[in-house]
């Protein structure tokens, strides 16, 4: 149950047709749909007798060394995401966009699973700051090919599935013939505007009066920067997470904002209801 203080603020926010909101989501919102965060026991990937973690597999370094193993892992992830369904948290975020309109609402997501879109969020008002698994791109920097749709004809994969020769051909760039790569931000790469809308995310965050942070611990640079920019500029911040994080602890230490510990699939519909009460 959200507090009466937060409910009053949300009523005030919603009534001001100039007030803007950014919702920043991370893996926690999709974990409630059954998608593992890949940072725990589900994150490993076995090559020979060695267990690798996402920080090892999800890198350009590993892709150059073992491109097929990296692609096997991402094809498995792609299958996991396709098998999942949006939960009430995803639907609540999509409805916030619909209620507030594109001029007042921006979704910034670290998630690559596509669940926000399947719940009704629009590409126009969503910034995919870690990329997404519905697209691939050429692995050669010199190739000018834009993002390519995930190739059709690749069968669902489990951890033991191999990539057939025919599927491997489908993973080659249609422009130059080089191997494509997943359109995701790897652990040894940096944010940029071209692929990950770095500057746009910071600009939208700067414009916003309210930042709602959902299911992310702030382990990566851009979400961290967005949070502290909002905090240092006295913007209203709401943190929704199952567990305590650097974000929630900072708000509590500064005695500001609102920390809501619990399932986003239960809390976000309450926030949505408070907004809809006024509009």
């Amino acid at each position: 149950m959200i507090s009466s203080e937060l409910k009053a603020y949300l009523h005030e926010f919603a009534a001001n047709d100039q007030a803007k909101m950014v919702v920043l989501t991370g893996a926690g919102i999709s974990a409630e749909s059954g998608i593992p965060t890949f940072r725990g026991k589900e994150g490993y990937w076995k090559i020979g007798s060695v267990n690798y973690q996402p920080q090892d597999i999800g890198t350009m370094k590993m892709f150059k060394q073992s491109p097929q193993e990296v692609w096997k892992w991402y094809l498995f992830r792609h299958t996991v995401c396709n098998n999942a369904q949006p939960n009430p948290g995803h639907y609540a975020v999509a409805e916030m966009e619909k209620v507030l309109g594109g001029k007042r609402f921006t979704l910034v997501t670290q998630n690559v699973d596509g669940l926000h879109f399947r719940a009704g969020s629009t590409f126009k008002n969503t910034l995919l700051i870690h990329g997404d698994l519905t697209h691939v791109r050429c692995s050669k920097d010199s190739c000018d090919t834009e993002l390519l749709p995930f190739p059709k004809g690749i069968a669902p994969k489990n951890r033991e599935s191999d990539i057939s020769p025919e599927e491997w051909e489908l993973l080659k760039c249609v422009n130059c013939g080089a191997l494509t790569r997943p359109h995701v931000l790897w652990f040894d790469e940096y944010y940029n505007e071209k692929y990950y809308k770095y500057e746009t995310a910071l600009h939208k965050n700067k414009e916003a009066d309210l930042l709602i942070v959902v299911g992310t611990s702030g382990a990566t640079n851009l979400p961290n920067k967005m949070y502290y920019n909002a905090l240092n500029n006295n913007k209203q911040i709401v943190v929704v997470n199952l567990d305590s994080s650097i974000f929630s602890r900072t708000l509590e230490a500064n005695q500001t904002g609102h920390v809501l510990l619990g399932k986003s699939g239960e809390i976000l519909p309450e926030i949505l209801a408070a907004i809809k009460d006024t509009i």
Side-chain angles (χ1 to χ4, degrees):
M1 194 74 178
I2 65 175
S3 68
S4 57
E5 180 186 0
L6 175 56
K7 189 175 292 187
Y9 169 77
L10 291 170
H11 288 166
E12 179 184 339
F13 169 85
N16 179 359
D17 61 8
Q18 301 301 309
K20 296 180 179 180
M21 172 196 294
V22 167
V23 176
L24 169 64
T25 64
I29 191 172
S30 291
E32 293 178 33
S33 289
I35 296 180
T37 64
F38 295 98
R39 290 180 180 272
K41 64 180 182 179
E42 296 294 331
Y44 76 90
W45 189 255
K46 194 168 185 176
I47 303 176
S49 60
V50 180
N51 282 343
Y52 291 89
Q53 292 297 315
Q55 294 87 337
D56 305 308
I57 287 288
T59 64
M60 175 56 78
K61 179 181 178 181
M62 181 65 83
F63 185 76
K64 290 178 178 178
Q65 292 175 354
S66 304
Q68 191 160 100
E69 289 295 337
V70 172
W71 257 122
K72 283 170 66 175
W73 188 58
Y74 277 98
L75 292 179
F76 165 61
R77 287 194 65 181
H78 186 268
T79 300
V80 170
C81 294
N82 279 353
N83 288 340
Q85 297 299 321
N87 64 59
H90 294 106
Y91 286 109
V93 171
E95 186 68 13
M96 288 177 200
E97 177 185 352
K98 190 180 298 183
V99 169
L100 294 172
K103 291 184 177 180
R104 298 185 61 188
F105 179 92
T106 301
L107 169 61
V108 179
T109 184
Q110 298 169 245
N111 298 337
V112 300
D113 50 50
L115 292 184
H116 279 298
F117 300 118
R118 285 158 59 189
S121 293
T122 69
F123 281 94
K124 182 178 180 181
N125 297 310
T126 301
L127 303 178
L128 297 157
I129 61 171
H130 287 180
D132 74 284
L133 288 176
T134 64
H135 289 82
V136 301
R137 67 182 199 256
C138 187
S139 60
K140 287 177 62 177
D141 292 334
S142 58
C143 183
D144 293 329
T145 302
E146 294 297 315
L147 296 182
L148 302 167
F150 184 87
K152 295 179 180 179
I154 295 181
K157 304 295 182 186
N158 58 38
R159 286 186 180 274
E160 288 72 42
S161 298
D162 288 323
I163 303 173
S164 72
E166 294 77 17
E167 290 173 329
W168 196 244
E169 286 299 314
L170 294 173
L171 292 171
K172 291 184 178 178
C173 176
V174 296
N175 184 44
C176 71
L179 185 62
T180 60
R181 54 164 286 175
H183 174 51
V184 296
L185 180 68
W186 280 332
F187 287 94
D188 56 353
E189 295 180 319
Y190 297 95
Y191 289 103
N192 59 42
E193 177 65 16
K194 179 178 180 180
Y195 292 126
Y196 308 114
K197 304 304 177 187
Y198 179 82
E199 286 85 4
T200 301
L202 290 177
H203 175 70
K204 292 289 187 180
N205 189 59
K206 183 178 179 181
E207 285 187 331
D209 303 279
L210 168 62
L211 173 65
I212 301 180
V213 182
V214 185
T216 178
S217 61
T220 54
N221 174 269
L222 181 52
N224 201 279
K225 197 166 188 176
M226 290 173 62
Y227 170 81
Y228 282 103
N229 282 350
L231 182 67
N232 293 333
N233 286 284
N234 298 313
K235 303 295 180 72
Q236 187 66 236
I237 301 174
V238 177
V239 171
V240 179
N241 211 356
L242 272 177
D243 304 303
S244 176
S245 67
I246 184 64
F247 291 157
S248 61
R249 290 191 292 272
T250 305
L251 285 188
E252 290 167 344
N254 285 273
Q255 297 184 331
T256 187
H258 301 270
V259 176
L260 306 174
L261 296 183
K263 291 184 176 182
S264 57
E266 297 173 356
I267 295 171
L268 290 176
E270 289 189 35
I271 292 176
L272 169 64
I275 292 171
K276 292 178 75 173
D277 280 347
T278 309
I279 294 179

